[in-house]
Amino acid sequence: MLLTITTTREPADDLGFLLHKHPARFQSFDLSFGKARVFFPEAGPERCSACLMLDVDPVGLVRGKGQGDGLLGQYVNDRPYAASSLLSVAMVEVFRTAMQGRCDDRPGLAETSIPLSARLDVLPVRGGEAFLRSIFEPLGYAVEATRHPLDPTFPDWGDSRCFSVVISAETTLARLLTQLYVLIPVFDDAKHYYVGDAETEKLLAKGAGWLESHPQKAEIARRYLKHRPSLYREALARLRPETPEGIDDDEGPAAAKVEEDVERPMSLNDQRLGAVLGALRGAGARRVLDLGCGEGKLIRLLLEDASFTEIVGVDVSIRALGIAAERLHLDRLPENQAARVKLMQGSLTYRDRRLEGFDAAACVEVVEHLDPPRLEAFERAAFEFARPATVVLTTPNREYNVTWENVGPDRLRHPDHRFEWTRAQFRAWAESVARRFGYAVRFVAVGPEDPALGPPTQMGVFNRET
Ligand code: SAH
């Protein structure tokens, strides 16, 4: 789960003061159901973003609890990836002071409306985009929403109920955070802890000043209080002391009666692409390379975001490029969309002038396909010659493989992998590359992290220093 807050009010890095978090630090918070991390993918004077990333331990979440949705449903679910009430819980834990609107270091700023946006990478929305807009727009937010397919590889499967959502407005940070706190579980419409009287009090407290006059307040209260008529009737009565309208005793509206969507849990691949996308966005990249683009899964996501103005996918495999062109419907895209993307055959172990001058390069699950003696050639081609300002590179964490039964006899994940690195090996390689070519590197864990073995995927984000 990833929440990204961005401001462009200068000096933008005052966001660190507002959130009470130091932009140069990567901070980790232990919560009962997982780990929250706060980091600033960008912290300049003109634009600053803070990410709250939540790693939920789905096993820890149900351990010690009674039977609920059936045994499998308890362990196999989308909790770790989809923004849910757990994210709201993490927000209060991590941003408590900011949510109270306090900022002693920058007096006045916390009360000032500033240009803010919040991005949620995977937000389950029961009721779809229309519902999403009906909630945020009356609060003055501009809404950008992109629906995620159930599986990008199989478009016929249709859409999932998850969206990438960006909301923007001139508002105070406390108001933005508080509204998200209330609304995230409302969209999800499935709270994951007991709802009781304390929830009513919370809703009234957090909704003060905006919920009373919201045209959808009945539905917000109904969902927030998990369709318990006695609770939401009371809440609504207290929100506006006249007879609440649109409330009946039996059931909620049609959207609420819909059977629980059967949703495929988000795959590691989706999480990985989400993390890469987040890092590219965080770098403010507009012109990007996808080195070893394969069948174009990342390119598809990049195309959906207009901030990427030029996208170049490179792969050595003509076959993979053919599949990519087909999946992306390159021949059918409107001209202005098609103009943004180019697929090229090339090898990453040779200098290629076509790859010079880009803002960023992604290199997703590719290095482990290179023969170790060719690795140095790749390093030079990417970091010395192509030399983008940012390189986002992922590779498997070999230590994690023991948790899977179906890895091959050589204990590698794929027959074409020439090697897989442990965390220490990847770190040593990445730090050496960074040192030799004048980059700074930071490491991001992708996927559910095992306390002893680390995450399934490791990601390095390299930023050019000179
Ligand atoms: N990035 C994609 C594909 C990963 S598979 C994804 O995440 O889905 C690795 C890809 O690297 C394959 O498509 C393979 O053809 C490509 N590749 C391997 N060696 C390469 C080389 N030397 N130059 C360019 N591409 C290479």
Side-chain angles (χ1 to χ4, degrees):
M1 293 182 203
L2 186 64
L3 165 67
T4 310
I5 308 282
T6 301
T7 187
T8 49
R9 180 206 183 261
E10 298 184 19
D13 44 3
D14 272 353
L15 185 62
F17 288 111
L18 279 174
L19 287 169
H20 299 260
K21 298 285 173 283
H22 196 295
R25 272 191 224 131
F26 187 92
Q27 294 181 64
S28 211
F29 305 82
D30 282 317
L31 306 171
S32 60
F33 48 81
K35 251 193 175 45
R37 297 188 168 81
V38 177
F39 57 94
F40 287 71
E42 56 181 336
E46 285 155 21
R47 195 182 151 89
C48 180
S49 295
C51 290
L52 169 63
M53 193 164 99
L54 188 57
D55 270 345
V56 174
D57 169 9
V59 177
L61 199 58
V62 294
R63 209 178 272 146
K65 305 246 172 80
Q67 301 278 328
D69 330 339
L71 201 54
L72 193 62
Q74 286 186 22
Y75 284 94
V76 184
N77 57 51
D78 64 359
R79 286 307 124 227
Y81 325 115
S84 69
S85 58
L86 298 176
L87 184 56
S88 291
V89 175
M91 284 171 70
V92 216
E93 293 286 330
V94 174
F95 297 141
R96 187 180 302 275
T97 319
M99 283 178 72
Q100 290 164 350
R102 294 204 342 250
C103 181
D104 298 338
D105 287 306
R106 290 288 179 277
L109 187 56
E111 293 83 33
T112 309
S113 284
I114 59 173
L116 281 167
S117 71
R119 176 179 180 92
L120 287 153
D121 281 282
V122 185
L123 178 68
V125 182
R126 183 185 296 273
E129 185 169 342
F131 181 70
L132 189 71
R133 291 188 179 278
S134 78
I135 299 295
F136 280 133
E137 285 175 352
L139 295 169
Y141 292 102
V143 180
E144 280 173 56
T146 311
R147 196 165 193 143
H148 291 291
L150 213 43
D151 185 334
T153 321
F154 300 105
D156 299 351
W157 292 7
D159 285 324
S160 75
R161 65 186 182 109
C162 291
F163 288 78
S164 285
V165 178
V166 184
I167 56 165
S168 336
E170 289 249 344
T171 184
T172 65
L173 182 64
R175 192 171 141 93
L176 173 76
L177 293 175
T178 306
Q179 290 174 341
L180 285 173
Y181 168 90
V182 170
L183 295 172
I184 286 169
V186 163
F187 292 118
D188 187 7
D189 202 19
K191 282 201 128 197
H192 303 287
Y193 49 84
Y194 175 72
V195 175
D197 290 343
E199 291 302 305
T200 311
E201 299 308 320
K202 237 185 257 175
L203 178 67
L204 294 171
K206 301 274 195 255
W210 60 274
L211 187 55
E212 301 92 326
S213 53
H214 197 293
Q216 285 273 34
K217 72 178 169 193
E219 182 62 8
I220 293 171
R222 197 192 314 256
R223 287 182 174 210
Y224 190 87
L225 300 170
K226 236 194 155 181
H227 309 280
R228 296 223 351 228
S230 58
L231 292 181
Y232 68 73
R233 278 167 72 87
E234 190 208 319
L236 273 177
R238 287 171 60 189
L239 274 168
R240 200 192 59 175
E242 301 120 53
T243 318
E245 22 153 295
I247 307 280
D248 40 46
D249 269 335
D250 44 10
E251 293 258 23
K257 286 190 213 146
V258 176
E259 291 260 317
E260 185 71 38
D261 294 357
V262 182
E263 198 176 305
R264 207 176 60 92
M266 194 184 232
S267 68
L268 175 60
N269 185 50
D270 291 336
Q271 288 181 74
R272 183 160 49 225
L273 294 178
V276 171
L277 196 60
L280 293 172
R281 283 196 187 113
R286 301 181 68 73
R287 302 181 58 237
V288 294
L289 293 167
D290 185 2
L291 303 176
C293 63
E295 296 166 2
K297 293 189 197 121
L298 177 64
I299 296 179
R300 182 183 173 128
L301 297 177
L302 293 169
L303 263 174
E304 284 173 5
D305 183 335
S307 58
F308 300 109
T309 53
E310 187 177 344
I311 304 158
V312 173
V314 186
D315 205 285
V316 75
S317 160
I318 296 265
R319 195 173 152 268
L321 290 171
I323 297 174
E326 210 165 285
R327 294 229 171 113
L328 295 166
H329 307 300
L330 287 191
D331 52 340
R332 275 181 276 149
L333 282 184
E335 216 167 288
N336 59 340
Q337 287 293 82
R340 287 168 59 211
V341 58
K342 204 184 292 165
L343 299 177
M344 308 192 316
Q345 198 214 358
S347 172
L348 305 178
T349 52
Y350 293 90
R351 178 175 191 169
D352 186 337
R353 295 197 184 273
R354 298 173 300 174
L355 309 185
E356 289 170 18
F358 281 79
D359 299 327
C363 189
V364 181
E365 307 294 285
V366 173
V367 281
E368 64 277 7
H369 291 266
L370 304 176
D371 278 326
R374 300 298 293 147
L375 208 50
E376 199 183 323
F378 161 74
E379 294 163 14
R380 295 197 65 195
F383 291 89
E384 182 179 335
F385 299 123
R387 208 166 172 69
T390 301
V391 178
V392 182
L393 186 144
T394 74
T395 193
N397 162 22
R398 182 173 194 159
E399 293 161 87
Y400 198 86
N401 292 1
V402 297
T403 64
W404 284 320
E405 282 172 10
N406 56 351
V407 290
D410 49 5
R411 308 300 294 161
L412 297 183
R413 294 182 197 178
H414 189 279
D416 190 46
H417 285 183
R418 307 303 154 91
F419 57 86
E420 283 173 5
W421 281 323
T422 62
R423 282 169 295 173
Q425 287 169 325
F426 176 56
R427 195 173 267 272
W429 175 79
E431 282 171 352
S432 147
V433 166
R435 192 172 346 99
R436 280 182 286 132
F437 297 101
Y439 282 75
V441 60
R442 63 187 166 83
F443 298 94
V444 180
V446 181
E449 209 168 346
D450 180 279
L453 306 166
T457 296
Q458 28 192 359
M459 180 163 101
V461 182
F462 299 79
N463 283 305
R464 200 175 61 206
E465 285 182 319
T466 46

